[in-house]
Coordinates of all heavy atoms in Angstrom, one line a residue:
R165 N -140.6 -279.4 26.0 CA -141.8 -278.6 26.0 C -142.5 -278.4 24.8 O -141.8 -278.0 23.7 CB -141.4 -277.2 26.6 CG -140.9 -277.3 28.0 CD -140.6 -275.9 28.6 NE -139.8 -276.0 29.8 CZ -139.2 -275.1 30.4 NH1 -139.5 -273.8 30.1 NH2 -138.5 -275.2 31.6
E167 N -143.7 -276.3 22.6 CA -143.9 -274.9 22.4 C -143.9 -274.6 21.0 O -143.7 -275.5 20.1 CB -142.7 -274.1 22.9 CG -142.5 -274.3 24.4 CD -141.7 -273.2 25.1 OE1 -142.3 -272.1 25.1 OE2 -140.5 -273.4 25.5
G172 N -134.2 -269.9 19.2 CA -133.9 -270.0 20.7 C -135.0 -270.8 21.5 O -135.0 -270.8 22.7
R173 N -136.0 -271.2 20.8 CA -137.1 -271.9 21.5 C -137.5 -273.2 20.8 O -137.9 -273.2 19.7 CB -138.4 -271.0 21.5 CG -139.3 -271.4 22.6 CD -140.7 -271.0 22.3 NE -141.2 -269.8 22.9 CZ -142.3 -269.2 22.7 NH1 -143.1 -269.7 21.8 NH2 -142.6 -268.1 23.3
L174 N -137.1 -274.2 21.5 CA -137.3 -275.6 20.8 C -138.2 -276.5 21.7 O -138.6 -276.1 22.8 CB -135.9 -276.3 20.8 CG -134.8 -275.6 19.9 CD1 -133.5 -275.8 20.5 CD2 -135.0 -276.1 18.5
F177 N -134.8 -279.2 24.1 CA -133.7 -278.4 24.4 C -133.0 -279.0 25.5 O -133.3 -280.0 26.1 CB -134.2 -276.9 24.6 CG -135.0 -276.8 25.8 CD1 -134.6 -276.4 27.0 CD2 -136.4 -277.0 25.7 CE1 -135.4 -276.2 28.1 CE2 -137.2 -276.9 26.8 CZ -136.8 -276.5 28.0
H179 N -130.6 -278.5 29.2 CA -130.4 -277.6 30.4 C -129.0 -278.1 30.9 O -128.7 -279.2 30.9 CB -131.4 -277.9 31.5 CG -132.5 -276.9 31.5 ND1 -133.7 -277.0 32.2 CD2 -132.7 -275.7 30.8 CE1 -134.5 -276.0 32.0 NE2 -134.0 -275.3 31.1
R310 N -141.0 -265.5 38.5 CA -140.9 -266.7 37.7 C -142.3 -267.3 37.6 O -143.0 -267.3 38.6 CB -139.9 -267.6 38.4 CG -138.6 -267.0 38.8 CD -137.7 -266.8 37.7 NE -137.4 -268.1 37.0 CZ -137.7 -268.2 35.6 NH1 -137.9 -267.2 34.9 NH2 -137.5 -269.4 35.0
A332 N -133.5 -264.9 27.5 CA -133.0 -265.4 28.8 C -132.1 -266.6 28.5 O -132.4 -267.6 27.9 CB -134.2 -266.0 29.6
L333 N -130.7 -266.4 29.0 CA -129.8 -267.5 28.9 C -130.1 -268.5 29.9 O -129.9 -269.8 29.7 CB -128.4 -266.9 29.2 CG -127.6 -266.1 28.2 CD1 -126.4 -265.6 28.8 CD2 -127.4 -267.0 27.0
G334 N -130.6 -268.1 31.0 CA -130.9 -269.0 32.1 C -131.6 -268.3 33.3 O -131.7 -267.1 33.2
A335 N -132.1 -269.1 34.1 CA -132.9 -268.5 35.2 C -133.0 -269.5 36.4 O -132.7 -270.7 36.3 CB -134.3 -268.3 34.7
A357 N -131.0 -273.0 35.9 CA -130.7 -273.8 34.7 C -130.4 -272.8 33.6 O -131.0 -271.8 33.5 CB -131.8 -274.7 34.4
G359 N -130.1 -272.6 29.4 CA -130.4 -273.4 28.1 C -129.3 -273.5 27.3 O -128.7 -272.5 26.9
R362 N -129.2 -271.7 23.9 CA -129.0 -270.2 24.0 C -127.6 -269.9 24.4 O -127.1 -268.9 23.9 CB -130.0 -269.7 25.0 CG -131.5 -270.0 24.6 CD -132.4 -269.1 25.0 NE -133.8 -269.6 24.8 CZ -134.8 -269.2 25.4 NH1 -134.7 -268.3 26.3 NH2 -136.0 -269.7 25.1
Ligands
LIG288 P1 -137.0 -272.1 32.6 O1 -137.0 -273.5 33.2 O2 -138.2 -271.8 31.7 O3 -136.7 -271.0 33.5 O4 -135.8 -272.2 31.5 C1 -134.4 -272.0 31.9 C2 -133.7 -271.7 30.6 O5 -133.8 -272.8 29.7 C3 -134.2 -270.5 29.9 O6 -133.6 -269.3 30.4 C4 -133.7 -270.8 28.5 O7 -132.4 -270.5 28.3 C5 -133.9 -272.3 28.4 N1 -135.2 -272.6 27.8 C6 -136.4 -272.8 28.3 N2 -137.3 -273.2 27.5 C7 -136.6 -273.4 26.2 C8 -137.0 -273.8 25.0 N3 -138.3 -274.1 24.7 N4 -136.1 -273.8 24.0 C9 -134.8 -273.5 24.3 N5 -134.3 -273.1 25.5 C10 -135.3 -273.1 26.5

Side-chain angles (χ1 to χ4, degrees):
R165 293 184 197 173
E167 303 205 67
R173 197 204 262 176
L174 293 150
F177 59 99
H179 269 170
R310 310 282 309 128
L333 281 174
R362 300 213 189 151

